[in-house]
Amino acid sequence: GTLEVELNYQPFSWENKMDNSPKIPGCYFPLREGCRVTLFQDAEHTAEPGHEAIVTAQGESYEPKGAWREVYAAPTNATQFIFITGWSVYTEITLVRGDDVEDTRTLGELLKEKADEGVSVNMMIWDEYDDLIPSLVGTHDTATAEYFADTRVNVKRC
């Protein structure tokens, strides 16, 4: 079989919005401005010949980044807030591994520490409906909610 995917990136324009509002009704967390999104080609990607010719919108040479190192750096360096949404958030995972890694904290430990430092940590996780059979599809939703119970980490199951 064949899978064909086409992506078309277009600059955001208020004229393309029906109501000229970026708000989405019924959201759990308030709208934030000034956020950025990083798209990754692969989880761990190294530069290959030809990448040096790619220039970013800021006029800089494109340098591929490792997703797990970026995912680790974001909460580690957060000073105000952390928002995580996920189908499966596993608190026992170590985000970066290898001989050059000194920090061996799990995701759960890292998030609790950041919350204790005063960073607002908010998570919206999948609520697996059938809790009679724990982790039927492996979302870890009950374990994640229990792990953060009685901590400063805000968890919303939905």
Side-chain angles (χ1 to χ4, degrees):
T2 300
L3 174 66
E4 295 183 22
V5 177
E6 179 179 324
L7 296 175
N8 184 3
Y9 295 98
Q10 297 184 9
F12 178 80
S13 168
W14 286 110
E15 291 79 34
N16 294 338
K17 295 277 296 167
M18 295 297 286
D19 64 357
N20 290 338
S21 169
K23 294 184 179 180
I24 301 172
C27 289
Y28 292 104
F29 304 117
L31 174 70
R32 304 285 181 188
E33 293 184 11
C35 301
R36 68 178 174 87
V37 173
T38 302
L39 302 176
F40 295 97
Q41 178 175 339
D42 292 311
E44 286 298 322
H45 187 71
T46 57
E48 296 176 6
H51 279 142
E52 62 277 354
I54 300 172
V55 178
T56 68
Q58 292 75 29
E60 301 167 357
S61 279
Y62 167 72
E63 292 186 34
K65 300 178 180 181
W68 291 116
R69 292 187 187 272
E70 291 285 314
V71 167
Y72 165 80
T76 300
N77 298 326
T79 58
Q80 295 179 343
F81 54 82
I82 298 170
F83 289 95
I84 296 176
T85 60
W87 178 74
S88 175
V89 178
Y90 184 48
T91 58
E92 298 303 313
I93 193 168
T94 304
L95 296 175
V96 289
R97 302 172 193 100
D99 297 335
D100 62 335
V101 177
E102 295 179 17
D103 188 348
T104 58
R105 290 177 294 179
T106 65
L107 176 62
E109 293 167 341
L110 173 61
L111 294 176
K112 285 198 296 188
E113 285 177 25
K114 294 308 283 190
D116 288 341
E117 291 173 10
V119 175
S120 175
V121 180
N122 302 283
M123 299 177 63
M124 187 167 57
I125 62 173
W126 180 264
D127 186 7
E128 194 171 326
Y129 291 113
D130 189 0
D131 282 333
L132 297 176
I133 305 171
S135 250
L136 183 63
V137 289
T139 63
H140 308 286
D141 62 323
T142 301
T144 299
E146 289 173 356
Y147 182 87
F148 290 115
D150 302 318
T151 71
R152 294 181 176 179
V153 176
N154 303 310
V155 177
K156 174 69 176 172
R157 292 167 75 173
C158 51

